[in-house]
Structure formats: structure tokens, C-alpha cells
């Protein structure tokens, strides 16, 4: 007993020490959060002066929300120190809530101020950025005459359609550089007038315009290299395509292969003769597409040749077998509904679903179909065989349920059962049904 009380006293001391530490943390967190709000309020004033009220709206809303919740933390702390006695549990709960509110406040303000940090730094560097925009614009202007010359040189070699993507780039770059210089001047004047938000918008527009102008001029130089590469690749693709046509003519033919060969031959026939301005990009794309189509058609033909198409007669036998097995399974289950469990019913339902899907796949009742094209025979046979298999399973499971429901005593229902023996008569009837199905399947297999 002395050991028990000693342990309890130690536990009380540890809990009191934890409560004291939590109270200290709550006080420290409350002071830190309050100071953080004051600092952030000063930063908000500066950010509004640099960026405007719209850019700092989220920080303003966050600051108001944090102040509201910190007010709750101060009220909880006041309750801890008023004249009304509190239990240890009440103090512990309040201090935990104070720490939670203060940590949340710090996180929210960190997130909002971090989002504005880059914009504020950019605003402080506005004079430097404006000077950089003007220097970049002057540097890019020197490249414009060279870009015009490059486009003229390319026009003598490539078709107008090929040059469409870069033909107007030099003129557009010149317009963008003029807009960038104008926007830089606007940003400078608005900043001097204290209209910081408008100044920042104009500064962003000027930097984006310089960036776009640089990309347009780079594209002119890149086009020349890519066009030469496309021409080289096109020559190799043309040679490969002619070889592919020769090989394809020796492959097993199907309508898809014949159409793919014709498409590739047409793409080769429209290639311009030497000395004519070309569009190597378009020609290369068309040849690649025609080549890919021919490869896919040949692969499909080879696969079909390796897997013969089922004769129509075999497909018809498979459909008839599925219908026969479904009919038997339906009759048996319908005649013994009170004894049939979920397994047999599930197999029957799935078999019926697949059989209906087969009708939809063929576009009409499969039992009435007299012609099935070669592209659909294999799938139709697979669906019919699956439906027949599930119907057979449903019948076997139904027989299991029926047998399990019969009394084990042969004489319970009157000697040998229903007129000469239920066990003998019932089993013989069901055995005849199952035997007929097996024989029917064997006969169908002979045709396969």
C-alpha cells in the first residue's frame, strides 16, 4: 500500500510539472504572436505603399482574422488569472488552446507574408529592373535586321506554309520592344507620382514584352537549323517508306493493309521534285503517320493470320449451345426456386447478361443472325462460350442445392420417392439433363 501511494504522489508531481511547462509555453506563445501581429501590421503598411491595396488584400484579411482569434487567446489567459478558482483540468485545457491559437496565427502570417516577399523585393528593385529592360531592348534591336535577312534567305528555299510560323517574328519582336520601352517609361513616371500599384503593373508588362521578343528572335534562328534537320530526316524516311511498301506487298493482304499501302504511296507521290520550295515539316509528319498506319495494319494482319478466323458454322453452334444450356438452367432454377442459393442464381444472371451483350454486339438477336462478318466472329464465339460455361455452372450449383435440400432418409417421402423412388427418379432426370448437355458439348467440339 505504501508503494501505491508513493507512485501516485510521483505521478501528481509529474503532472504538475507538465502543467507548469504548458502554462509557461502559453504565455511565451501569446507574447510572440502579439508581437508578430504588430510587426506584420507595419509590413502591411509598407506593402500597401509599394504594391497597392489589391495586391495586399489577402494579407490584410489574414491579419484581421488572426487578431480576432488572438483575442480569444487573451480572454482565455485572463480567465486563468482572474479571482475565480480553476481546476487543474480547466487550466490545462485553456493553456493548450492558447498555444494552438498562437501557433495557427504564426503559420497564417508566415504564409501570407511569404507570398508577398518576392513582389516586395521586386518593387524595391524597380529602378534597377527598368534600367535592365531598356538595356535588353537595345540589345535585342540589334538582332532584328539579322532576323529579317534570315527570313528572306529561308523564303528562297522553303514553302510559304513552312515559314508561316516565323515569317512575321522580326516585325512582332520590333513592336514588342517598342511596347516594352514605353511601359518602362510609364512605370517610372507612375512610381515617381506615388502610384505604386500602376507602376508595378506597367513594369511587369515591360519585362514580359522583352521576354517574348527574345523568344521570337530565337525562333527564327532555331527554325533554320530544324528545317535542315527535317530535310535530312525526310530523305531517310522516303527511302524507308519505299522499302516498306515493297515489303508490304509481299505480306498477307487484308483490306486494312491494302488501304495503308495506298495511303503511304499517295504520301510519296505528292513529294515535290528537286528545286521546288518545300515544307519538310508537313511532309515528314504525313510520311510518319502513313508509315505508322502501315506498320499497324501489317501487325494486325500477321496476328490474324496466326489465329484463324472461326468458321461461321462453329460460331452458330456456340450460340445454339449457349441458348440450350441457358434454357435448361432457367427451367431447373425456376422449378426449384425455394431451394436455389445465391451462387447458382449469380451464375445464371451473369450468363444471361453476357448473352444479351452478344445480341447488342451483333446488332440483333444472335439466334436470328445468318451472317457474321470475320471481324466479329472470334469475339462472338468467345462470348457465346462464356455464356454457355456459366449456364452449365449455374445448373451444377442448382443441382447441389437441390440435393442438399432433400431428406437423407429414402423412405421419408414414401418408399422410393416420387413413383418409384424420388432419389432414383429425380437423380435420373437431372442426370439425363446433364448427360445431354455433355453430349451436346462434345458434338459441338467435333465441329470445332
Amino acid at each position: 500500500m505504501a508503494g501505491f501511494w508513493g507512485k501516485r504522489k510521483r505521478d501528481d508531481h509529474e503532472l504538475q510539472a507538465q502543467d507548469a511547462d504548458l502554462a509557461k509555453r502559453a504565455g511565451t506563445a501569446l507574447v510572440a504572436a502579439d508581437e508578430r501581429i504588430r510587426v506584420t501590421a507595419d509590413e502591411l503598411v509598407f506593402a500597401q505603399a509599394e504594391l497597392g491595396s489589391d495586391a495586399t488584400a489577402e494579407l490584410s484579411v489574414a491579419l484581421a482574422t488572426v487578431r480576432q482569434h488572438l483575442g480569444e487567446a487573451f480572454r482565455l489567459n485572463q480567465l486563468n488569472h482572474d479571482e475565480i478558482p480553476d481546476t487543474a483540468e480547466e487550466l490545462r485545457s485553456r493553456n493548450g488552446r492558447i498555444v494552438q491559437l498562437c501557433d495557427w496565427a504564426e503559420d497564417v502570417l508566415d504564409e501570407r507574408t511569404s507570398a508577398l516577399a518576392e513582389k516586395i523585393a521586386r518593387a524595391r528593385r524597380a529602378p534597377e529592373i527598368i534600367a535592365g529592360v531598356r538595356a535588353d531592348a537595345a540589345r535585342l534591336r540589334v538582332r532584328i535586321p539579322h532576323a529579317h535577312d534570315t527570313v528572306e534567305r529561308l523564303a528562297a528555299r522553303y514553302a510559304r506554309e513552312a515559314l508561316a510560323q516565323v515569317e512575321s517574328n522580326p516585325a512582332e519582336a520590333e513592336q514588342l520592344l517598342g511596347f516594352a520601352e514605353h511601359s518602362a517609361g510609364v512605370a517610372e513616371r507612375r512610381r515617381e507620382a506615388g502610384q505604386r500599384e500602376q507602376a508595378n503593373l506597367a513594369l511587369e508588362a515591360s519585362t514580359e514584352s522583352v521576354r517574348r521578343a527574345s523568344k521570337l528572335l530565337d525562333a527564327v534562328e532555331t527554325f533554320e537549323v530544324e528545317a535542315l534537320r527535317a530535310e535530312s530526316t525526310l530523305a531517310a524516311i522516303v527511302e524507308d517508306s519505299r522499302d516498306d511498301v515493297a515489303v508490304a506487298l509481299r505480306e498477307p493482304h487484308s483490306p486494312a493493309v491494302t488501304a495503308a499501302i495506298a495511303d503511304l504511296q499517295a504520301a510519296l507521290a505528292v513529294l515535290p521534285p528537286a528545286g521546288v520550295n518545300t515544307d519538310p515539316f508537313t511532309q515528314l509528319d504525313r510520311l510518319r503517320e502513313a508509315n505508322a498506319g502501315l506498320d499497324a495494319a501489317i501487325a494486325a494482319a500477321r496476328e490474324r493470320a496466326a489465329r484463324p478466323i472461326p468458321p461461321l458454322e462453329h460460331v452458330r453452334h456456340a450460340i445454339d449451345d449457349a441458348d440450350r444450356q441457358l434454357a435448361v438452367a432457367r427451367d431447373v432454377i425456376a422449378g426449384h426456386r425455394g431451394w436455389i442459393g445465391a451462387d447458382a442464381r449469380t451464375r445464371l444472371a451473369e450468363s444471361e447478361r453476357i448473352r444479351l451483350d452478344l445480341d447488342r454486339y451483333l446488332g440483333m438477336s444472335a439466334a436470328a443472325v445468318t451472317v457474321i462478318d470475320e471481324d466479329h466472329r472470334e469475339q462472338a464465339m468467345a462470348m457465346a462460350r462464356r455464356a454457355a460455361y456459366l449456364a452449365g455452372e449455374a445448373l451444377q450449383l442448382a443441382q447441389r442445392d437441390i440435393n442438399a435440400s432433400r431428406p437423407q432418409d429414402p423412405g421419408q417421402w414414401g418408399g422410393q420417392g416420387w413413383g418409384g423412388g424420388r432419389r432414383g427418379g429425380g437423380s435420373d432426370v437431372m442426370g439425363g439433363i446433364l448427360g445431354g448437355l455433355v453430349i451436346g458439348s462434345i458434338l459441338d467440339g467435333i465441329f470445332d
Side-chain angles (χ1 to χ4, degrees):
M1 182 63 70
F4 170 77
W5 288 111
K7 182 179 181 302
R8 182 173 180 180
K9 185 178 293 185
R10 285 195 303 272
D11 292 343
D12 289 343
H13 285 315
E14 290 177 1
L15 188 58
Q16 289 173 5
Q18 292 174 4
D19 288 343
D21 180 65
L22 180 60
K24 184 178 180 180
R25 285 175 52 205
T28 302
L30 197 56
V31 171
D34 188 47
E35 285 301 313
R36 180 62 189 276
I37 287 177
R38 296 179 189 277
V39 171
T40 303
D42 294 338
E43 292 178 350
L44 177 61
V45 172
F46 174 79
Q48 288 174 337
E50 289 290 337
L51 305 176
S53 57
D54 290 343
T56 59
E58 291 187 0
L59 177 58
S60 181
V61 171
L63 190 59
T65 304
V66 166
R67 278 174 171 157
Q68 178 182 354
H69 285 79
L70 199 64
E72 178 188 347
F74 278 117
R75 287 192 295 273
L76 292 173
N77 193 51
Q78 177 62 34
L79 289 175
N80 286 346
H81 297 87
D82 61 13
E83 67 279 1
I84 301 175
D86 300 306
T87 64
E89 182 61 32
E90 289 174 335
L91 291 172
R92 190 179 304 120
S93 176
R94 289 174 192 158
N95 286 329
R97 176 61 174 166
I98 290 171
V99 171
Q100 181 186 30
L101 287 170
C102 293
D103 289 345
W104 171 83
E106 296 269 9
D107 291 341
V108 170
L109 295 181
D110 283 343
E111 180 182 353
R112 295 295 183 268
T113 53
S114 296
L116 289 177
E118 183 178 351
K119 293 182 179 180
I120 292 174
R122 184 178 179 83
R124 289 173 175 172
R125 295 175 49 243
E128 177 185 347
I129 294 174
I130 291 173
V133 166
R134 288 173 174 156
D136 290 341
R139 176 178 53 81
L140 291 173
R141 279 192 183 279
V142 176
R143 296 175 55 188
I144 291 178
H146 175 69
H148 278 295
D149 294 341
T150 302
V151 170
E152 291 179 4
R153 185 174 64 255
L154 294 172
R157 182 178 181 86
Y158 300 108
R160 184 71 177 269
E161 294 78 11
L163 283 175
Q165 53 183 305
V166 297
E167 186 178 20
S168 60
N169 283 20
E172 291 181 12
E174 190 168 8
Q175 291 178 351
L176 285 169
L177 292 177
F179 178 77
E181 291 169 338
H182 173 71
S183 299
V186 170
E188 201 169 41
R189 290 191 295 273
R190 291 291 186 270
R191 185 172 181 82
E192 291 173 355
Q195 300 172 343
R196 299 300 179 88
E197 187 170 359
Q198 297 178 10
N200 291 327
L201 292 175
L203 185 59
E204 290 178 6
S206 66
T207 56
E208 175 63 17
S209 298
V210 168
R211 186 192 67 80
R212 288 178 55 197
S214 178
K215 292 293 184 182
L216 289 173
L217 295 176
D218 290 342
V220 174
E221 298 176 2
T222 302
F223 176 87
E224 186 170 22
V225 176
E226 292 302 324
L228 291 172
R229 184 179 299 171
E231 282 188 281
S232 176
T233 305
L234 180 62
I237 291 291
V238 168
E239 184 178 353
D240 290 343
S241 297
R242 288 172 178 156
D243 292 341
D244 290 344
V245 169
V247 172
L249 291 174
R250 298 193 296 268
E251 290 285 337
H253 271 210
S254 69
V257 172
T258 302
I261 292 174
D263 187 42
L264 183 53
Q265 289 175 330
L268 290 169
V270 298
L271 291 174
V276 177
N277 289 6
T278 63
D279 181 357
F281 301 105
T282 301
Q283 293 159 4
L284 191 57
D285 288 343
R286 183 174 181 187
L287 277 178
R288 280 173 174 164
E289 183 179 353
N291 258 300
L294 179 58
D295 291 341
I298 291 175
R302 288 174 177 173
E303 182 182 357
R304 174 57 67 192
R307 191 181 66 250
I309 300 172
L312 178 61
E313 185 180 6
H314 290 188
V315 180
R316 295 288 316 136
H317 284 317
I319 294 173
D320 291 343
D321 181 54
D323 290 341
R324 182 174 63 253
Q325 298 217 47
L326 263 172
V328 173
R330 287 194 195 102
D331 290 343
V332 171
I333 292 176
H336 304 81
R337 300 191 68 85
W339 297 345
I340 306 303
D343 291 344
R345 295 170 187 264
T346 300
R347 300 299 194 284
L348 178 62
E350 182 65 9
S351 177
E352 290 175 332
R353 183 191 67 78
I354 294 174
R355 183 60 183 82
L356 290 174
D357 285 346
L358 176 57
D359 288 345
R360 285 192 286 267
Y361 179 71
L362 296 176
M364 64 178 70
S365 173
V369 171
T370 57
V371 178
I372 302 176
D373 62 81
E374 293 182 352
D375 292 337
H376 294 85
R377 289 182 190 175
E378 188 174 6
Q379 179 66 17
M381 175 171 276
M383 296 174 73
R385 285 178 169 174
R386 180 63 178 165
Y389 175 78
L390 289 170
E393 273 199 337
L395 189 61
Q396 293 176 8
L397 292 169
Q399 177 62 34
R400 180 200 66 184
D401 294 339
I402 293 169
N403 291 339
S405 301
R406 289 173 178 165
Q408 299 300 317
D409 181 3
Q412 184 173 339
W413 286 352
Q416 295 299 318
W418 299 333
R422 173 177 174 83
R423 182 171 184 177
S427 296
D428 290 344
V429 171
M430 188 57 63
I433 292 173
L434 293 174
L437 292 176
V438 171
I439 293 172
S441 300
I442 293 174
L443 290 176
D444 288 342
I446 294 174
F447 291 105
D448 290 341

